[in-house]
Amino acid sequence: MGTPIIIFGSSRSFGETWSAVHVVLGDNKSIPIIDLNTLSIAPYDYTYKNKEDDYLPLMERIVTHDLIVLATPVYWYTMSSLMKMFIDRLSDLLDIRKDIGRQLRGKRLYVVASFGTSLPKGFEEPFSQTCAYLGIIYEGCSFIYSGDDPDLQSANAQNIEKAQKILGIY
Ligand SMILES: Cc1cc2nc3c(=O)[nH]c(=O)nc-3n(C[C@H](O)[C@H](O)[C@H](O)COP(=O)(O)O)c2cc1C
């Protein structure tokens, strides 16, 4: 199963994505959650002036886990900008820290996405293609609906269960 780590990237630390993650986790307190809001991670820089920020230490920690769970809200049909910055910085691992990049091969990645209107088309593509490029096994996505439409709410239980299975929580 492998030990998971959750990378959390919403514009608010205690909103709907936070609720979705905690519904999935239930009583489980052993899985670490890293809130990107609490770290200093600058956007990608071609000259690596940001290399002393919190990104590389975070990645050194992440590669000690076998399953990486990215938790993000759906903002304008895609991931949050906070999560996109995290993804963009993977480029650092192709240039200045190839040693960390190599350690990503064979890891597994899952996405938990909180949405409020409708299921976004093509949302998983950036995640699945990034994984394919880096040799990470893409395990899929649980879309958790945060709105009031009972039809959309009805799929939540199955998506929560799917995430729990991947995370090894029963
Ligand atoms: C800037 C912004 C853009 C959004 N775009 C979408 C969208 O494209 N599709 C959707 O279903 N919901 C969209 N929503 C609603 C959020 O996905 C939803 O409310 C989510 O549960 C918010 O999670 P949070 O509380 O962690 O931010 C958007 C919300 C915001 C603030």
mmCIF file of all heavy atoms in Angstrom, residues 8-20 71-78 80 113-120 123 144-147 152, ligand 1:
data_model
loop_
_atom_site.group_PDB
_atom_site.id
_atom_site.type_symbol
_atom_site.label_atom_id
_atom_site.label_comp_id
_atom_site.label_asym_id
_atom_site.label_seq_id
_atom_site.Cartn_x
_atom_site.Cartn_y
_atom_site.Cartn_z
ATOM 1 N N PHE A 8 -1.823 19.727 0.182
ATOM 2 C CA PHE A 8 -3.095 20.442 0.180
ATOM 3 C C PHE A 8 -2.903 21.843 -0.392
ATOM 4 O O PHE A 8 -2.054 22.602 0.098
ATOM 5 C CB PHE A 8 -3.598 20.503 1.636
ATOM 6 C CG PHE A 8 -4.836 21.315 1.816
ATOM 7 C CD1 PHE A 8 -6.081 20.731 1.692
ATOM 8 C CD2 PHE A 8 -4.755 22.672 2.111
ATOM 9 C CE1 PHE A 8 -7.228 21.491 1.854
ATOM 10 C CE2 PHE A 8 -5.895 23.425 2.275
ATOM 11 C CZ PHE A 8 -7.140 22.837 2.135
ATOM 12 N N GLY A 9 -3.670 22.177 -1.414
ATOM 13 C CA GLY A 9 -3.471 23.484 -2.054
ATOM 14 C C GLY A 9 -4.768 24.197 -2.396
ATOM 15 O O GLY A 9 -5.197 24.199 -3.540
ATOM 16 N N SER A 10 -5.394 24.770 -1.379
ATOM 17 C CA SER A 10 -6.580 25.596 -1.614
ATOM 18 C C SER A 10 -6.252 27.028 -1.217
ATOM 19 O O SER A 10 -5.377 27.267 -0.379
ATOM 20 C CB SER A 10 -7.760 25.099 -0.770
ATOM 21 O OG SER A 10 -8.809 26.060 -0.800
ATOM 22 N N SER A 11 -7.000 27.990 -1.757
ATOM 23 C CA SER A 11 -6.804 29.387 -1.366
ATOM 24 C C SER A 11 -7.263 29.655 0.055
ATOM 25 O O SER A 11 -6.959 30.711 0.612
ATOM 26 C CB SER A 11 -7.561 30.321 -2.313
ATOM 27 O OG SER A 11 -6.921 30.355 -3.552
ATOM 28 N N ARG A 12 -8.037 28.725 0.624
ATOM 29 C CA ARG A 12 -8.355 28.851 2.059
ATOM 30 C C ARG A 12 -8.061 27.518 2.747
ATOM 31 O O ARG A 12 -8.403 26.449 2.234
ATOM 32 C CB ARG A 12 -9.789 29.310 2.295
ATOM 33 C CG ARG A 12 -10.851 28.522 1.587
ATOM 34 C CD ARG A 12 -12.229 29.073 1.879
ATOM 35 N NE ARG A 12 -13.248 28.314 1.164
ATOM 36 C CZ ARG A 12 -14.539 28.558 1.247
ATOM 37 N NH1 ARG A 12 -14.978 29.547 1.995
ATOM 38 N NH2 ARG A 12 -15.401 27.830 0.577
ATOM 39 N N SER A 13 -7.423 27.656 3.917
ATOM 40 C CA SER A 13 -6.937 26.459 4.595
ATOM 41 C C SER A 13 -8.059 25.622 5.193
ATOM 42 O O SER A 13 -7.896 24.417 5.363
ATOM 43 C CB SER A 13 -5.947 26.847 5.692
ATOM 44 O OG SER A 13 -4.768 27.345 5.105
ATOM 45 N N PHE A 14 -9.192 26.231 5.526
ATOM 46 C CA PHE A 14 -10.242 25.473 6.212
ATOM 47 C C PHE A 14 -11.574 25.553 5.479
ATOM 48 O O PHE A 14 -12.626 25.711 6.090
ATOM 49 C CB PHE A 14 -10.370 25.936 7.673
ATOM 50 C CG PHE A 14 -9.073 25.787 8.417
ATOM 51 C CD1 PHE A 14 -8.315 26.900 8.744
ATOM 52 C CD2 PHE A 14 -8.590 24.535 8.736
ATOM 53 C CE1 PHE A 14 -7.098 26.773 9.402
ATOM 54 C CE2 PHE A 14 -7.370 24.393 9.396
ATOM 55 C CZ PHE A 14 -6.628 25.511 9.725
ATOM 56 N N GLY A 15 -11.549 25.454 4.161
ATOM 57 C CA GLY A 15 -12.761 25.517 3.355
ATOM 58 C C GLY A 15 -13.247 24.141 2.941
ATOM 59 O O GLY A 15 -13.110 23.161 3.677
ATOM 60 N N GLU A 16 -13.805 24.082 1.735
ATOM 61 C CA GLU A 16 -14.447 22.847 1.268
ATOM 62 C C GLU A 16 -13.440 21.744 0.928
ATOM 63 O O GLU A 16 -13.737 20.563 1.130
ATOM 64 C CB GLU A 16 -15.321 23.152 0.046
ATOM 65 C CG GLU A 16 -16.455 24.119 0.310
ATOM 66 C CD GLU A 16 -17.524 23.550 1.231
ATOM 67 O OE1 GLU A 16 -17.511 22.341 1.508
ATOM 68 O OE2 GLU A 16 -18.380 24.335 1.692
ATOM 69 N N THR A 17 -12.293 22.114 0.403
ATOM 70 C CA THR A 17 -11.292 21.076 0.088
ATOM 71 C C THR A 17 -10.786 20.455 1.381
ATOM 72 O O THR A 17 -10.599 19.228 1.473
ATOM 73 C CB THR A 17 -10.125 21.681 -0.734
ATOM 74 O OG1 THR A 17 -10.682 22.400 -1.841
ATOM 75 C CG2 THR A 17 -9.198 20.602 -1.256
ATOM 76 N N TRP A 18 -10.607 21.302 2.380
ATOM 77 C CA TRP A 18 -10.202 20.816 3.707
ATOM 78 C C TRP A 18 -11.267 19.828 4.233
ATOM 79 O O TRP A 18 -10.933 18.743 4.725
ATOM 80 C CB TRP A 18 -10.061 22.013 4.656
ATOM 81 C CG TRP A 18 -9.539 21.681 6.019
ATOM 82 C CD1 TRP A 18 -8.236 21.651 6.415
ATOM 83 C CD2 TRP A 18 -10.319 21.335 7.180
ATOM 84 N NE1 TRP A 18 -8.153 21.307 7.740
ATOM 85 C CE2 TRP A 18 -9.398 21.116 8.230
ATOM 86 C CE3 TRP A 18 -11.682 21.193 7.428
ATOM 87 C CZ2 TRP A 18 -9.823 20.763 9.510
ATOM 88 C CZ3 TRP A 18 -12.093 20.838 8.703
ATOM 89 C CH2 TRP A 18 -11.179 20.629 9.725
ATOM 90 N N SER A 19 -12.543 20.198 4.098
ATOM 91 C CA SER A 19 -13.623 19.300 4.558
ATOM 92 C C SER A 19 -13.582 17.982 3.801
ATOM 93 O O SER A 19 -13.720 16.921 4.407
ATOM 94 C CB SER A 19 -15.001 19.932 4.333
ATOM 95 O OG SER A 19 -15.109 21.103 5.065
ATOM 96 N N ALA A 20 -13.379 18.059 2.475
ATOM 97 C CA ALA A 20 -13.349 16.828 1.669
ATOM 98 C C ALA A 20 -12.222 15.907 2.147
ATOM 99 O O ALA A 20 -12.426 14.703 2.340
ATOM 100 C CB ALA A 20 -13.165 17.177 0.189
ATOM 101 N N ALA A 71 -4.533 17.445 -3.033
ATOM 102 C CA ALA A 71 -5.901 17.894 -2.738
ATOM 103 C C ALA A 71 -6.039 19.333 -3.205
ATOM 104 O O ALA A 71 -5.316 20.229 -2.747
ATOM 105 C CB ALA A 71 -6.181 17.782 -1.240
ATOM 106 N N THR A 72 -6.964 19.558 -4.105
ATOM 107 C CA THR A 72 -7.127 20.903 -4.681
ATOM 108 C C THR A 72 -8.601 21.199 -4.949
ATOM 109 O O THR A 72 -9.355 20.294 -5.301
ATOM 110 C CB THR A 72 -6.332 21.031 -6.011
ATOM 111 O OG1 THR A 72 -6.595 22.311 -6.609
ATOM 112 C CG2 THR A 72 -6.714 19.956 -7.024
ATOM 113 N N PRO A 73 -9.001 22.451 -4.809
ATOM 114 C CA PRO A 73 -10.319 22.821 -5.321
ATOM 115 C C PRO A 73 -10.264 22.915 -6.843
ATOM 116 O O PRO A 73 -9.176 23.032 -7.424
ATOM 117 C CB PRO A 73 -10.563 24.207 -4.716
ATOM 118 C CG PRO A 73 -9.206 24.756 -4.457
ATOM 119 C CD PRO A 73 -8.292 23.593 -4.199
ATOM 120 N N VAL A 74 -11.428 22.867 -7.466
ATOM 121 C CA VAL A 74 -11.521 23.173 -8.895
ATOM 122 C C VAL A 74 -11.759 24.674 -9.006
ATOM 123 O O VAL A 74 -12.759 25.183 -8.509
ATOM 124 C CB VAL A 74 -12.685 22.397 -9.564
ATOM 125 C CG1 VAL A 74 -12.810 22.797 -11.038
ATOM 126 C CG2 VAL A 74 -12.476 20.892 -9.420
ATOM 127 N N TYR A 75 -10.807 25.379 -9.571
ATOM 128 C CA TYR A 75 -10.968 26.811 -9.838
ATOM 129 C C TYR A 75 -10.878 27.002 -11.351
ATOM 130 O O TYR A 75 -9.847 26.683 -11.959
ATOM 131 C CB TYR A 75 -9.853 27.623 -9.159
ATOM 132 C CG TYR A 75 -9.904 27.711 -7.641
ATOM 133 C CD1 TYR A 75 -8.762 28.042 -6.924
ATOM 134 C CD2 TYR A 75 -11.074 27.473 -6.909
ATOM 135 C CE1 TYR A 75 -8.782 28.156 -5.531
ATOM 136 C CE2 TYR A 75 -11.096 27.575 -5.524
ATOM 137 C CZ TYR A 75 -9.954 27.916 -4.841
ATOM 138 O OH TYR A 75 -9.964 28.016 -3.457
ATOM 139 N N TRP A 76 -11.939 27.485 -11.941
ATOM 140 C CA TRP A 76 -11.971 27.706 -13.389
ATOM 141 C C TRP A 76 -11.542 26.454 -14.152
ATOM 142 O O TRP A 76 -10.632 26.481 -14.950
ATOM 143 C CB TRP A 76 -11.170 28.956 -13.784
ATOM 144 C CG TRP A 76 -11.852 30.188 -13.288
ATOM 145 C CD1 TRP A 76 -11.510 30.942 -12.201
ATOM 146 C CD2 TRP A 76 -13.049 30.775 -13.824
ATOM 147 N NE1 TRP A 76 -12.408 31.956 -12.026
ATOM 148 C CE2 TRP A 76 -13.369 31.871 -13.011
ATOM 149 C CE3 TRP A 76 -13.881 30.458 -14.907
ATOM 150 C CZ2 TRP A 76 -14.488 32.672 -13.232
ATOM 151 C CZ3 TRP A 76 -14.990 31.249 -15.137
ATOM 152 C CH2 TRP A 76 -15.283 32.346 -14.300
ATOM 153 N N TYR A 77 -12.184 25.358 -13.813
ATOM 154 C CA TYR A 77 -12.053 24.071 -14.526
ATOM 155 C C TYR A 77 -10.726 23.366 -14.328
ATOM 156 O O TYR A 77 -10.487 22.325 -14.933
ATOM 157 C CB TYR A 77 -12.320 24.238 -16.045
ATOM 158 C CG TYR A 77 -13.551 25.059 -16.291
ATOM 159 C CD1 TYR A 77 -13.462 26.409 -16.640
ATOM 160 C CD2 TYR A 77 -14.820 24.509 -16.093
ATOM 161 C CE1 TYR A 77 -14.596 27.186 -16.805
ATOM 162 C CE2 TYR A 77 -15.962 25.277 -16.252
ATOM 163 C CZ TYR A 77 -15.843 26.621 -16.610
ATOM 164 O OH TYR A 77 -16.978 27.368 -16.755
ATOM 165 N N THR A 78 -9.862 23.932 -13.506
ATOM 166 C CA THR A 78 -8.554 23.299 -13.339
ATOM 167 C C THR A 78 -8.133 23.354 -11.873
ATOM 168 O O THR A 78 -8.930 23.694 -11.002
ATOM 169 C CB THR A 78 -7.524 23.975 -14.296
ATOM 170 O OG1 THR A 78 -6.306 23.226 -14.242
ATOM 171 C CG2 THR A 78 -7.248 25.423 -13.953
ATOM 172 N N SER A 80 -6.048 24.646 -8.437
ATOM 173 C CA SER A 80 -5.798 25.985 -7.887
ATOM 174 C C SER A 80 -4.431 26.485 -8.362
ATOM 175 O O SER A 80 -3.545 25.695 -8.721
ATOM 176 C CB SER A 80 -5.796 25.925 -6.358
ATOM 177 O OG SER A 80 -4.687 25.166 -5.916
ATOM 178 N N ALA A 113 -10.302 16.299 -5.510
ATOM 179 C CA ALA A 113 -10.689 17.613 -6.026
ATOM 180 C C ALA A 113 -12.067 17.988 -5.504
ATOM 181 O O ALA A 113 -13.013 17.209 -5.611
ATOM 182 C CB ALA A 113 -10.685 17.595 -7.553
ATOM 183 N N SER A 114 -12.172 19.184 -4.935
ATOM 184 C CA SER A 114 -13.453 19.694 -4.453
ATOM 185 C C SER A 114 -14.012 20.649 -5.494
ATOM 186 O O SER A 114 -13.320 21.570 -5.928
ATOM 187 C CB SER A 114 -13.225 20.424 -3.117
ATOM 188 O OG SER A 114 -14.397 21.080 -2.710
ATOM 189 N N PHE A 115 -15.262 20.407 -5.903
ATOM 190 C CA PHE A 115 -15.867 21.294 -6.913
ATOM 191 C C PHE A 115 -17.250 21.718 -6.457
ATOM 192 O O PHE A 115 -17.894 21.048 -5.650
ATOM 193 C CB PHE A 115 -15.912 20.618 -8.289
ATOM 194 C CG PHE A 115 -16.944 19.528 -8.414
ATOM 195 C CD1 PHE A 115 -18.141 19.756 -9.092
ATOM 196 C CD2 PHE A 115 -16.730 18.283 -7.845
ATOM 197 C CE1 PHE A 115 -19.100 18.759 -9.212
ATOM 198 C CE2 PHE A 115 -17.684 17.277 -7.963
ATOM 199 C CZ PHE A 115 -18.870 17.510 -8.653
ATOM 200 N N GLY A 116 -17.715 22.860 -7.004
ATOM 201 C CA GLY A 116 -18.971 23.406 -6.516
ATOM 202 C C GLY A 116 -20.057 23.573 -7.550
ATOM 203 O O GLY A 116 -21.202 23.893 -7.200
ATOM 204 N N THR A 117 -19.740 23.345 -8.817
ATOM 205 C CA THR A 117 -20.742 23.600 -9.857
ATOM 206 C C THR A 117 -20.998 22.369 -10.716
ATOM 207 O O THR A 117 -22.088 21.813 -10.711
ATOM 208 C CB THR A 117 -20.299 24.776 -10.764
ATOM 209 O OG1 THR A 117 -19.851 25.844 -9.942
ATOM 210 C CG2 THR A 117 -21.441 25.262 -11.620
ATOM 211 N N SER A 118 -19.983 21.970 -11.483
ATOM 212 C CA SER A 118 -20.146 20.794 -12.343
ATOM 213 C C SER A 118 -18.796 20.131 -12.547
ATOM 214 O O SER A 118 -17.751 20.772 -12.406
ATOM 215 C CB SER A 118 -20.736 21.204 -13.694
ATOM 216 O OG SER A 118 -19.888 22.160 -14.294
ATOM 217 N N LEU A 119 -18.836 18.844 -12.898
ATOM 218 C CA LEU A 119 -17.584 18.106 -13.109
ATOM 219 C C LEU A 119 -16.814 18.749 -14.268
ATOM 220 O O LEU A 119 -17.349 18.878 -15.362
ATOM 221 C CB LEU A 119 -17.892 16.648 -13.452
ATOM 222 C CG LEU A 119 -18.191 15.723 -12.281
ATOM 223 C CD1 LEU A 119 -18.626 14.357 -12.806
ATOM 224 C CD2 LEU A 119 -16.984 15.580 -11.364
ATOM 225 N N PRO A 120 -15.564 19.140 -14.030
ATOM 226 C CA PRO A 120 -14.805 19.800 -15.097
ATOM 227 C C PRO A 120 -14.278 18.783 -16.114
ATOM 228 O O PRO A 120 -13.744 17.749 -15.740
ATOM 229 C CB PRO A 120 -13.654 20.455 -14.334
ATOM 230 C CG PRO A 120 -13.494 19.626 -13.107
ATOM 231 C CD PRO A 120 -14.809 19.007 -12.773
ATOM 232 N N PHE A 123 -10.072 17.689 -16.530
ATOM 233 C CA PHE A 123 -9.368 18.118 -15.308
ATOM 234 C C PHE A 123 -8.168 17.222 -14.985
ATOM 235 O O PHE A 123 -7.138 17.688 -14.503
ATOM 236 C CB PHE A 123 -10.367 18.105 -14.140
ATOM 237 C CG PHE A 123 -9.784 18.490 -12.819
ATOM 238 C CD1 PHE A 123 -9.715 19.826 -12.439
ATOM 239 C CD2 PHE A 123 -9.291 17.531 -11.939
ATOM 240 C CE1 PHE A 123 -9.178 20.191 -11.216
ATOM 241 C CE2 PHE A 123 -8.756 17.888 -10.711
ATOM 242 C CZ PHE A 123 -8.700 19.223 -10.351
ATOM 243 N N ILE A 144 -15.124 15.535 -5.235
ATOM 244 C CA ILE A 144 -16.071 15.663 -4.129
ATOM 245 C C ILE A 144 -16.831 16.978 -4.312
ATOM 246 O O ILE A 144 -16.221 18.057 -4.361
ATOM 247 C CB ILE A 144 -15.354 15.668 -2.748
ATOM 248 C CG1 ILE A 144 -14.269 14.586 -2.661
ATOM 249 C CG2 ILE A 144 -16.375 15.566 -1.617
ATOM 250 C CD1 ILE A 144 -14.697 13.191 -2.430
ATOM 251 N N TYR A 145 -18.137 16.845 -4.394
ATOM 252 C CA TYR A 145 -18.996 18.007 -4.661
ATOM 253 C C TYR A 145 -19.329 18.740 -3.359
ATOM 254 O O TYR A 145 -19.700 18.102 -2.361
ATOM 255 C CB TYR A 145 -20.269 17.506 -5.349
ATOM 256 C CG TYR A 145 -21.319 18.553 -5.575
ATOM 257 C CD1 TYR A 145 -21.074 19.657 -6.381
ATOM 258 C CD2 TYR A 145 -22.580 18.427 -4.983
ATOM 259 C CE1 TYR A 145 -22.053 20.623 -6.596
ATOM 260 C CE2 TYR A 145 -23.573 19.379 -5.200
ATOM 261 C CZ TYR A 145 -23.297 20.475 -6.001
ATOM 262 O OH TYR A 145 -24.260 21.426 -6.218
ATOM 263 N N SER A 146 -19.221 20.075 -3.384
ATOM 264 C CA SER A 146 -19.458 20.845 -2.156
ATOM 265 C C SER A 146 -20.772 21.635 -2.190
ATOM 266 O O SER A 146 -21.066 22.375 -1.248
ATOM 267 C CB SER A 146 -18.290 21.818 -1.919
ATOM 268 O OG SER A 146 -18.201 22.752 -2.995
ATOM 269 N N GLY A 147 -21.551 21.506 -3.259
ATOM 270 C CA GLY A 147 -22.767 22.315 -3.386
ATOM 271 C C GLY A 147 -24.025 21.626 -2.882
ATOM 272 O O GLY A 147 -23.955 20.611 -2.176
ATOM 273 N N LEU A 152 -25.749 15.697 -7.660
ATOM 274 C CA LEU A 152 -24.279 15.716 -7.615
ATOM 275 C C LEU A 152 -23.768 15.213 -6.261
ATOM 276 O O LEU A 152 -22.742 14.547 -6.181
ATOM 277 C CB LEU A 152 -23.761 17.128 -7.910
ATOM 278 C CG LEU A 152 -23.936 17.583 -9.365
ATOM 279 C CD1 LEU A 152 -23.615 19.061 -9.536
ATOM 280 C CD2 LEU A 152 -23.062 16.759 -10.305
HETATM 281 C C1 LIG B 1 -12.010 31.223 -8.217
HETATM 282 C C2 LIG B 1 -13.008 30.091 -8.188
HETATM 283 C C3 LIG B 1 -13.261 29.389 -9.348
HETATM 284 C C4 LIG B 1 -14.148 28.302 -9.332
HETATM 285 N N1 LIG B 1 -14.329 27.579 -10.474
HETATM 286 C C5 LIG B 1 -15.101 26.468 -10.437
HETATM 287 C C6 LIG B 1 -15.248 25.648 -11.600
HETATM 288 O O1 LIG B 1 -14.686 25.899 -12.657
HETATM 289 N N2 LIG B 1 -16.039 24.544 -11.508
HETATM 290 C C7 LIG B 1 -16.678 24.203 -10.351
HETATM 291 O O2 LIG B 1 -17.383 23.180 -10.318
HETATM 292 N N3 LIG B 1 -16.573 24.976 -9.229
HETATM 293 C C8 LIG B 1 -15.788 26.077 -9.252
HETATM 294 N N4 LIG B 1 -15.630 26.845 -8.117
HETATM 295 C C9 LIG B 1 -16.251 26.389 -6.859
HETATM 296 C C10 LIG B 1 -15.242 25.607 -6.015
HETATM 297 O O3 LIG B 1 -14.634 24.559 -6.772
HETATM 298 C C11 LIG B 1 -15.903 24.973 -4.810
HETATM 299 O O4 LIG B 1 -16.638 25.921 -4.096
HETATM 300 C C12 LIG B 1 -14.883 24.285 -3.924
HETATM 301 O O5 LIG B 1 -15.568 23.400 -3.060
HETATM 302 C C13 LIG B 1 -14.088 25.325 -3.127
HETATM 303 O O6 LIG B 1 -13.138 24.718 -2.298
HETATM 304 P P1 LIG B 1 -12.289 25.624 -1.237
HETATM 305 O O7 LIG B 1 -13.255 26.017 -0.169
HETATM 306 O O8 LIG B 1 -11.198 24.743 -0.735
HETATM 307 O O9 LIG B 1 -11.775 26.805 -2.024
HETATM 308 C C14 LIG B 1 -14.806 27.942 -8.115
HETATM 309 C C15 LIG B 1 -14.569 28.697 -6.955
HETATM 310 C C16 LIG B 1 -13.684 29.758 -6.984
HETATM 311 C C17 LIG B 1 -13.429 30.551 -5.715
#
